[in-house]
Amino acid sequence: EPEVTQTPSHQVTQMGQEVILRCVPISNHLYFYWYRQILGQKVEFLVSFYNNEISEKSEIFDDQFSVERPDGSNFTLKIRSTKLEDSAMYFCASQNDALYEQYFGPGTRLTVT
Amino acid sequence: AQSVTQLGSHVSVSEGALVLLRCNYSSSVPPYLFWYVQYPNQGLQLLLKYTTGATLVKGINGFEAEFKKSETSFHLTKPSAHMSDAAEYFCAVGPGTASKLTFGTGTRLQVTL
């Protein structure tokens, strides 16, 4: 069964460093999302992406964040200068146009020290 | 704007007992409603969804949920709990088609012998 994959599973970085989280969505999906879950808190929407552009973003998704679909298969989330409060589990999700179902990847745990 | 309230951050049931996880939503448009399950150190797996039509929806692993518009509820049930059901369960709401999901805070289900 097709699935969303994410790499790395765990990333540790120092405050102020840039990180890139990678996702490979399901191949025939058209809509892509990033969510995050700070430890012990709810899953929060960050950004949605369709037709090679951002369709919606949350207040969390400020100028430090960017997304890209560089090669038609990968979907990346970049944090330019990480802060301690960026420590969280980051989930990628993708959606087929017709089924209104978002399929989530296993997540990348980002730890900022 | 949309929001989800999950009553009870922890629910404990005996194996074989009824599982009832509560979810109430708020939405200014007809909602699309979802239940996701998260096993330890894993991503979110879709259990079931309601979009339109039949208000009682069946999902995987014997779970079902009923959309009650008058009560703005979408409670998740399973007639007989199994040890393997122990996990965190998230209710989510979306405004339809391809758009962000708003999640509740989650309910951790414990199943005891």
Side-chain angles (χ1 to χ4, degrees), chain A residues 2-43:
Chain A
E3 58 182 19
V4 177
T5 59
Q6 291 185 242
T7 54
S9 57
H10 189 191
Q11 174 135 17
V12 181
T13 189
Q14 290 189 327
M15 199 166 49
Q17 295 297 304
E18 175 183 286
V19 294
I20 297 176
L21 309 184
R22 291 183 167 80
C23 168
V24 179
I26 295 173
S27 63
N28 64 342
H29 285 189
L30 302 175
Y31 300 88
F32 313 107
Y33 306 84
W34 284 101
Y35 293 83
R36 78 172 186 190
Q37 184 181 29
I38 295 172
L39 188 64
Q41 298 186 25
K42 66 169 73 174
V43 176

Side-chain angles (χ1 to χ4, degrees), chain A residues 1-4 24-32 50 69 72-73 94-99 101 103:
Chain A
E1 185 175 326
E3 58 182 19
V4 177
V24 179
I26 295 173
S27 63
N28 64 342
H29 285 189
L30 302 175
Y31 300 88
F32 313 107
Y50 170 71
R69 189 157 160 80
S73 61
S94 69
Q95 177 176 337
N96 180 287
D97 189 24
L99 289 179
E101 296 175 1
Y103 290 85

Side-chain angles (χ1 to χ4, degrees), chain A residues 55-111:
Chain A
S55 46
E56 188 175 5
K57 60 183 181 180
S58 73
E59 294 173 352
I60 303 167
F61 194 89
D62 61 22
D63 291 345
Q64 293 301 309
F65 290 87
S66 62
V67 290
E68 195 177 34
R69 189 157 160 80
D71 56 12
S73 61
N74 291 283
F75 180 49
T76 62
L77 174 69
K78 181 193 291 187
I79 309 175
R80 289 189 183 81
S81 178
T82 50
K83 307 184 189 75
L84 293 176
E85 53 264 38
D86 293 329
S87 295
M89 181 74 91
Y90 288 80
F91 292 107
C92 172
S94 69
Q95 177 176 337
N96 180 287
D97 189 24
L99 289 179
Y100 311 128
E101 296 175 1
Q102 293 184 23
Y103 290 85
F104 283 74
T108 293
R109 181 168 298 284
L110 176 65
T111 302

Side-chain angles (χ1 to χ4, degrees), chain A residues 35 45 99-102, chain B residues 34 36 49 97 99-101:
Chain A
Y35 293 83
F45 167 77
L99 289 179
Y100 311 128
E101 296 175 1
Q102 293 184 23
Chain B
F34 306 83
Y36 283 85
K49 67 180 183 188
T97 60
S99 188
K100 68 178 184 182
L101 295 180

Side-chain angles (χ1 to χ4, degrees), chain B:
Chain B
Q2 298 187 306
S3 66
V4 171
T5 302
Q6 289 185 244
L7 291 175
S9 58
H10 289 84
V11 170
S12 182
V13 300
S14 301
E15 191 173 36
L18 171 72
V19 175
L20 170 60
L21 304 182
R22 299 179 187 275
C23 172
N24 289 89
Y25 70 90
S26 173
S27 179
S28 56
V29 298
Y32 284 19
L33 294 156
F34 306 83
W35 276 99
Y36 283 85
V37 60
Q38 185 180 34
Y39 297 102
N41 301 314
Q42 294 188 27
L44 299 165
Q45 181 182 8
L46 181 66
L47 272 180
L48 49 78
K49 67 180 183 188
Y50 167 80
T51 54
T52 58
T55 56
L56 181 63
V57 293
K58 295 185 186 298
I60 61 172
N61 302 339
F63 284 94
E64 61 183 37
E66 186 171 10
F67 169 62
K68 291 187 177 180
K69 185 178 177 181
S70 61
E71 298 177 9
T72 60
S73 68
F74 191 58
H75 301 330
L76 182 71
T77 60
K78 181 174 180 177
S80 176
H82 192 272
M83 295 295 288
S84 61
D85 294 327
E88 185 118 25
Y89 291 80
F90 292 93
C91 182
V93 63
T97 60
S99 188
K100 68 178 184 182
L101 295 180
T102 300
F103 284 82
T105 50
T107 297
R108 184 167 299 279
L109 176 66
Q110 181 183 18
V111 183
T112 59
L113 288 172

